[in-house]
């Protein structure tokens, strides 16, 4: 683990981290705080808020795509309630994941990956929105029931499909499946999430291209170009008064700065009537959402009615569950490296996937309209800030729960202009694609075999699934349930691409080095045992480890830390 030489003020922005002589050459030398280190409380809160803001960008983007498919109007105050519910569940699951789950400093919450099967389900004939003339003729009660019946369908599908993830994790089945999840499975599964949603990004950004491009440029400027620029900040030290010290403002808060600046710019253009009445980039275009939102509201299970369960919905949403599982599995070793932790052992991986599934079940029952997954944006925040402390994520979880019960706080983010969200989409979806493609580093790209699998598993789903979605009646077996199920499954790009990549990579001959299995095994060692020499690991539970080390039966529980006794090695 990392040890750090800190100044007397313990302000990590004021010093360069150092490695001790006992550190491995493979560790990262520029971490400010490692996984088990605790920054000062005031800095922990600020960095937790940064993680919250990084997460809220992804959370806010989901209703901009989900609610129109649910037939909700832009002015419906329940859009803010959906955001509050998502954030509330995110806080609960994030705390449990970081404390008792995989125990890595990751944020666990609503994900874009579930939107792909969600849109496939809602594109079925029975769930398509009625014409605008019918919508305008409905009263408030009828419009509410219109979107809530669709939400209940999604809630049941999400909760039922997530039980597969719970079983896979807590029974240890995910460890066996990992042997077939290769880099050429991860690449199409993750990359197609961003590639499939490019139309939604274009539609949102096109509301005002100047603001959208400005948002993308501003975020690029702060997070990439100016990340090492220090700003003098006043610091008070007892007995020495106020002094100015360098502060990496742009590295720590690029998302916050971008949102504040571009939102303020839209406010100025609104006040000066550059954006006319009804313009989607006006800051007051959805002011009704804020005024109608409740001050305090605690989300609860079934708040939009009891979830409904259908075979087509549950199997279709399973594509999102499997995609999130693959995505999280690929994030775990990356986060462990970023946070200066040991590679995740098998029991931690099992526990992490099981906890993620449990969080998705809760999200479905609460009516969030989405599942839970490891936030890639927050993984990136660790790389930017160089702070991988678990304590920061626990503080962030507290902030999320608090925000989830303050209704107007969640409604505020609905006021973010569409064009600003479109700029965020361009970065976020692009990063998801890039993360999927980054797994190519493990395989031999000079191999024609690998290039064939890669090209087919990405391009074929984009062609076939698009056609299925545009021709929902093409599959006609005579059974409506079977037709709906096959339409959703074959219309979900991440499922078709992931299955195709996995199948081809496991049946087409290729050497382990060519397929990237050797390098991938170094990142994902499927081991679960530690020598019981009195030392602790980064994945130990916060309480009860002494008892677990004494009990041999823990070897038979796939999600518990297990230890080899010293006598077994003599």
């Amino acid at each position: 683990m990392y040890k750090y030489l800190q100044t007397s003020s313990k302000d990590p922005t004021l010093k360069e981290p150092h490695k001790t002589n006992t550190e491995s050459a493979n560790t990262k030398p520029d971490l400010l705080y490692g996984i088990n280190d605790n920054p000062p409380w005031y800095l922990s809160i600020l960095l937790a808020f940064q993680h919250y803001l990084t997460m809220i960008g992804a959370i806010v983007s989901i209703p901009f795509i989900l609610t129109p498919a649910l037939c909700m109007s832009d002015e419906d105050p329940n859009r803010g309630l959906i955001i509050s519910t998502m954030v509330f569940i995110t806080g609960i699951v994030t705390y449990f994941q970081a404390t008792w789950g995989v125990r890595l400093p990751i944020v666990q919450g609503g994900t874009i990956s579930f939107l792909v099967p969600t849109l496939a389900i809602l594109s079925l004939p029975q769930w398509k929105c009625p014409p605008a003339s019918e919508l305008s003729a409905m009263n408030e009660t009828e419009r509410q029931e219109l979107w809530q019946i669709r939400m209940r369908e999604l809630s049941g599908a999400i909760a039922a499909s997530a039980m597969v993830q719970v079983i896979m994790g807590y029974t240890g089945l995910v460890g066996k499946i990992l042997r077939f999840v290769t880099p050429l499975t991860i690449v199409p599964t993750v990359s197609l999430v961003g590639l499939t949603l490019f139309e939604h990004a274009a539609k949102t950004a096109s509301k005002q291209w100047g603001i959208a491009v400005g948002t993308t440029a501003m975020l690029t400027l702060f997070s990439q170009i100016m990340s090492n620029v220090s700003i003098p900040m006043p610091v008070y030290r007892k007995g020495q008064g106020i002094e100015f010290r360098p502060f990496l403002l742009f590295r720590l808060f690029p998302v916050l700065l971008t949102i504040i600046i571009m939102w303020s710019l839209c406010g100025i253009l609104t006040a000066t009537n550059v954006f006319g009445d009804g313009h989607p980039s006006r800051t007051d275009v959805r002011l009704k959402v804020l005024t109608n939102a409740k001050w305090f509201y605690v989300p609860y299970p079934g708040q939009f009615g009891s979830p409904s369960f259908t075979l087509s919905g549950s199997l279709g949403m399973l594509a999102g569950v499997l995609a999130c599982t693959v995505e999280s599995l690929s994030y775990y070793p990356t986060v462990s490296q970023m946070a200066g932790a040991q590679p995740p052992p098998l029991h931690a991986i099992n526990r992490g996937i099981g906890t993620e599934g449990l969080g998705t079940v809760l999200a479905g029952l609460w009516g969030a309209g989405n599942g839970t997954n490891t936030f890639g944006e927050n993984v990136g925040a660790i790389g930017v800030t160089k702070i991988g402390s678990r304590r920061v994520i626990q503080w962030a979880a507290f902030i999320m729960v608090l925000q989830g019960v303050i209704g107007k706080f969640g409604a505020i983010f609905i006021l973010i202009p569409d064009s600003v969200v479109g700029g965020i989409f361009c970065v976020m979806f692009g990063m998801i694609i890039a993360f999927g493609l980054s797994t190519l580093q493990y395989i031999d790209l000079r191999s024609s075999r690998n290039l064939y699998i890669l090209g087919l598993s990405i391009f074929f789903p984009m062609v076939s699934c698009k056609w299925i979605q545009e021709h929902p009646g093409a599959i006609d077996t005579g059974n409506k349930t079977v037709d709906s199920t096959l339409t959703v499954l074959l219309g979900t790009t991440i499922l078709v691409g992931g299955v195709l990549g996995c199948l081809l990579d496991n049946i087409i001959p290729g050497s382990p080095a060519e397929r990237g299995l050797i390098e991938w095994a170094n990142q994902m060692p499927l081991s679960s045992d530690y020598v019981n020499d009195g030392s602790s690991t980064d994945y130990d539970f916060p309480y009860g480890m002494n008892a677990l080390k004494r009990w041999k039966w823990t070897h038979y529980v796939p999600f518990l830390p297990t230890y080899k006794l010293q006598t077994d090695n003599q």
Side-chain angles (χ1 to χ4, degrees), residues 20 39 44 58 63 147 248 305 330 378 425 473 537 559:
T20 61
S44 293
W147 71 263
L248 297 176
S330 57
N378 293 88
F425 278 166
T537 76
F559 58 86

Side-chain angles (χ1 to χ4, degrees), residues 117-145:
T118 293
L119 295 175
I121 292 173
L122 294 179
S123 67
L124 295 175
Q126 65 266 35
W127 299 123
K128 286 188 175 181
C129 296
S133 57
E134 292 186 26
L135 287 174
S136 59
M138 292 181 179
N139 57 40
E140 185 175 348
T141 302
E142 291 173 335
R143 290 184 66 92
Q144 181 169 304
E145 177 60 20

Side-chain angles (χ1 to χ4, degrees), residues 520-569:
W520 179 242
N522 294 332
Q523 298 297 316
M524 187 69 72
L526 301 182
S527 175
S528 195
D529 293 329
Y530 296 112
V531 176
N532 186 6
D533 58 359
S535 62
S536 61
T537 76
D538 300 318
Y539 304 95
D540 283 350
F541 292 136
Y543 309 105
M545 287 307 304
N546 289 332
L548 289 177
K549 289 179 180 180
R550 292 195 303 267
W551 296 336
K552 287 188 176 182
W553 59 265
T554 59
H555 284 270
Y556 302 99
V557 183
F559 58 86
L560 290 180
T562 57
Y563 287 81
K564 293 179 180 178
L565 298 178
Q566 288 180 323
T567 55
D568 295 337
N569 298 290

Side-chain angles (χ1 to χ4, degrees), residues 357-372:
L358 183 61
T360 299
V361 172
L362 295 179
L365 297 179
W366 254 257
N370 205 263
T372 63

Side-chain angles (χ1 to χ4, degrees), residues 35-59:
I35 187 170
N36 294 314
D37 297 324
N38 299 324
W41 66 269
Y42 58 87
L43 186 61
S44 293
I45 294 177
L46 287 175
L47 291 169
F49 192 65
Q50 163 72 15
H51 272 284
Y52 165 79
L53 289 171
T54 304
M55 174 275 307
I56 201 65
I59 288 288

Side-chain angles (χ1 to χ4, degrees), residues 61-85:
S61 67
I62 294 173
F64 279 84
I65 299 176
L66 174 63
T67 52
L70 290 174
C71 312
M72 293 179 68
S73 65
D74 289 345
E75 295 78 22
D76 195 326
N78 287 298
R79 295 180 69 175
L81 180 56
I82 291 175
I83 287 183
S84 295
T85 302

